[in-house]
Amino acid sequence: MTDRILVLGGTTEARQLAGKLAAKYEVTLSLAGRTRDPVPQGVPVRVGGFGGVEGLAAYLRDNRIKLLIDGTHPYAANISANAAQAAQLTGVPAIALRRPPWEQNPGDRWTLVGNATEAAALLGTTPRKIFLALGRQELAPFEAAPQHAYLIRSVDPVEPPLAVPHATYIPARGPFSEVDDCALLKAHGIDVIVAKNSGGDATYGKIAAARQLGIEVFLIRRPSLPDLPSGADVEEVLRLADHVLTPGPGPEKRGV
Ligand code: NAP
């Protein structure tokens, strides 16, 4: 029987990884269900939470999963912690795709903040034009700073809209280029960007554009994640998966 793999997804890399693994293994990709109309994933998908560590552990057992891969976003810390604990509970090996963070370059005007609430407080009292490059769930703290004008880009509509007098919404799905983000920031006269250090190319456009235009960026610090064997990209994780599921010959087979 082909080995079964569960990939916890929600990122482009998880989708790509699942697609490549499917050539050799039986793969299921798990989505939280945050996006109403996710792009086709190309492999069997299950949607929705498992019900915490116990729920995920039960899923691993019931479905005879041989390898768990955490391919979630670097800020999805709860599911990553659950994955590590469920793997420990069940003895199912777990590995992760950990996208490296962006590094600060000369010209970057970054301020690191702990979370969206801290960012909202640090924006100050003088009205400014803010680009919120955050998930819909992280926007509420900015209602405490209604003096600013907000530009909000999200895949799905922000419902209900933010309770602030000045907010503009742009529905869009990445990737976003530096050229396009530069044009966007200029068109809206943006002074500050609030973003996560997501890493990767798909959302780096705004960071490069901010550098070019001398715009301040409030970057939310990454949460700490469990220490699993990990790769930084799809190819590295593919090799790790093969290594876990197809171990090399044991000492006796090597005649040691
Ligand atoms: P989170 O805080 O770590 O997760 C909250 C809960 O959502 C988890 O405890 C789990 O519920 C459920 N969950 C999360 N990811 C799941 C998955 N892949 N499959 C099944 N259940 C999942 O994460 P979040 O901030 O809600 O993020 C949710 C998803 O969005 C993740 O898959 C993440 O990769 C993705 N995301 C994408 C981006 C992006 O920019 N592409 C940004 C942030 C998040 P139970 O405890 O009930 O199992």
Side-chain angles (χ1 to χ4, degrees), residues 6 15 30-31 33 35 44 46 48-49 66 69 95 119 125 128 131 133 149 160 163 166-167 177 214 217 234:
L6 177 66
R15 173 165 46 85
S30 175
L31 298 178
T35 307
R46 64 155 304 284
K66 290 286 187 300
I69 303 183
I95 61 177
T125 49
R128 301 169 91 181
F131 176 33
H166 307 290
S177 73
V217 181
V234 170

Coordinates of all heavy atoms in Angstrom, one line a residue, residues 6 15 30-31 33 35 44 46 48-49 66 69 95 119 125 128 131 133 149 160 163 166-167 177 214 217 234:
L6 N -0.3 13.4 5.3 CA -1.1 14.5 5.5 C -0.3 15.8 5.4 O 0.6 16.0 6.2 CB -1.9 14.4 6.8 CG -2.8 15.6 7.2 CD1 -4.0 15.7 6.2 CD2 -3.3 15.5 8.6
R15 N 0.8 23.7 -1.4 CA 0.1 23.2 -2.5 C 1.0 22.5 -3.5 O 0.8 21.4 -4.0 CB -0.7 24.3 -3.2 CG -1.4 24.0 -4.5 CD -2.4 25.0 -4.9 NE -2.0 26.4 -4.7 CZ -1.3 27.1 -5.6 NH1 -0.9 26.5 -6.7 NH2 -0.9 28.3 -5.4
S30 N -4.7 19.5 3.9 CA -5.7 20.0 4.8 C -5.7 21.6 4.8 O -4.6 22.2 5.0 CB -5.4 19.5 6.2 OG -6.2 20.1 7.2
L31 N -6.9 22.2 4.7 CA -7.0 23.6 4.7 C -7.9 24.0 5.9 O -8.8 23.3 6.2 CB -7.7 24.1 3.4 CG -7.0 23.9 2.1 CD1 -7.8 24.4 0.9 CD2 -5.6 24.5 2.1
G33 N -9.9 26.5 5.9 CA -11.2 26.9 5.4 C -11.3 28.4 5.6 O -12.5 28.9 5.6
T35 N -10.2 30.8 3.4 CA -10.5 31.5 2.1 C -11.7 30.8 1.5 O -11.8 29.6 1.5 CB -9.3 31.3 1.2 OG1 -8.1 31.7 1.9 CG2 -9.4 32.1 -0.1
P44 N -6.4 15.6 -3.3 CA -7.6 15.5 -2.4 C -7.4 16.5 -1.2 O -6.3 16.5 -0.6 CB -7.6 14.1 -1.9 CG -6.9 13.3 -3.0 CD -5.9 14.2 -3.6
R46 N -9.1 18.2 2.5 CA -10.1 18.2 3.5 C -10.1 19.6 4.1 O -9.0 20.2 4.1 CB -9.8 17.1 4.6 CG -8.5 17.4 5.4 CD -8.5 16.8 6.7 NE -9.5 17.2 7.6 CZ -9.6 18.4 8.2 NH1 -8.6 19.3 8.0 NH2 -10.5 18.6 9.1
G48 N -11.2 22.5 7.3 CA -11.7 22.8 8.6 C -10.8 22.2 9.7 O -10.0 21.3 9.4
G49 N -10.9 22.8 10.9 CA -10.1 22.4 12.0 C -10.4 20.9 12.4 O -11.4 20.4 12.1
K66 N 1.3 8.1 7.6 CA 2.7 7.7 7.8 C 3.6 8.9 8.0 O 4.7 8.7 8.5 CB 3.2 6.8 6.7 CG 2.5 5.5 6.6 CD 3.0 4.6 7.7 CE 2.5 3.1 7.6 NZ 1.1 3.0 7.7
I69 N 3.1 16.6 7.4 CA 4.0 17.7 7.0 C 3.3 19.0 7.3 O 2.1 19.2 6.9 CB 4.3 17.6 5.5 CG1 4.9 16.3 5.1 CG2 5.2 18.8 5.1 CD1 5.3 16.1 3.7
I95 N 7.4 16.5 9.8 CA 8.4 17.5 9.2 C 7.7 18.8 8.8 O 6.5 18.8 8.8 CB 9.2 16.9 8.0 CG1 8.3 16.6 6.9 CG2 10.0 15.6 8.4 CD1 9.0 16.0 5.6
A119 N 1.2 47.6 16.9 CA 1.4 48.4 15.6 C 0.4 49.5 15.6 O 0.8 50.7 15.4 CB 1.3 47.5 14.4
T125 N -0.7 59.7 16.9 CA -2.0 60.4 17.0 C -2.2 61.2 15.7 O -3.4 61.5 15.3 CB -2.0 61.4 18.2 OG1 -0.8 62.2 18.2 CG2 -2.2 60.7 19.5
R128 N -2.3 59.4 9.5 CA -1.4 59.0 8.4 C -2.1 58.0 7.5 O -3.3 57.6 7.8 CB -0.2 58.2 9.1 CG 0.5 59.1 10.1 CD 1.5 58.2 10.9 NE 2.8 58.1 10.3 CZ 3.8 57.4 10.8 NH1 3.7 56.7 11.9 NH2 5.0 57.4 10.2
F131 N -1.1 51.3 4.9 CA -1.4 50.1 4.1 C -1.4 48.9 5.1 O -0.3 48.6 5.6 CB -0.4 49.9 3.0 CG -0.6 48.7 2.1 CD1 -1.9 48.1 1.9 CD2 0.5 48.1 1.5 CE1 -2.1 47.0 1.1 CE2 0.3 46.9 0.8 CZ -1.0 46.4 0.6
A133 N -1.3 45.2 5.3 CA -1.1 44.0 4.5 C -1.2 42.8 5.5 O -0.2 42.1 5.7 CB 0.3 44.1 3.8
A149 N -6.1 56.9 7.8 CA -6.8 56.4 6.6 C -6.1 55.0 6.3 O -4.9 54.9 6.2 CB -6.7 57.3 5.5
P160 N -17.7 42.2 8.9 CA -18.1 43.6 8.6 C -16.8 44.4 8.3 O -15.7 44.1 8.8 CB -18.8 44.0 9.9 CG -18.2 43.2 10.9 CD -17.8 41.9 10.4
A163 N -14.5 49.5 11.6 CA -15.3 50.6 12.1 C -14.4 51.8 12.2 O -14.1 52.3 13.3 CB -15.9 50.2 13.4
H166 N -12.2 56.2 7.5 CA -11.5 56.2 6.2 C -10.8 54.8 6.0 O -9.8 54.6 6.5 CB -10.5 57.3 6.2 CG -11.0 58.6 6.5 ND1 -11.9 59.3 5.7 CD2 -10.9 59.4 7.6 CE1 -12.3 60.4 6.3 NE2 -11.7 60.5 7.5
A167 N -11.5 54.0 5.1 CA -10.9 52.7 4.8 C -11.2 52.4 3.3 O -12.3 52.6 2.9 CB -11.4 51.6 5.7
S177 N 3.8 42.1 -7.5 CA 5.1 42.5 -7.9 C 5.5 43.8 -7.3 O 4.7 44.6 -6.8 CB 5.2 42.6 -9.5 OG 4.5 43.8 -9.8
G214 N 11.1 54.8 0.3 CA 11.5 55.3 1.7 C 10.3 55.3 2.7 O 10.2 56.1 3.6
V217 N 8.0 50.6 7.5 CA 7.3 49.3 7.6 C 7.2 48.9 9.0 O 8.3 48.7 9.6 CB 7.9 48.2 6.7 CG1 7.2 46.9 6.8 CG2 8.0 48.7 5.2
V234 N 10.3 23.7 -1.2 CA 9.6 22.5 -1.6 C 10.5 21.3 -1.8 O 10.3 20.2 -1.4 CB 8.7 22.7 -2.9 CG1 8.1 21.5 -3.4 CG2 7.6 23.7 -2.5

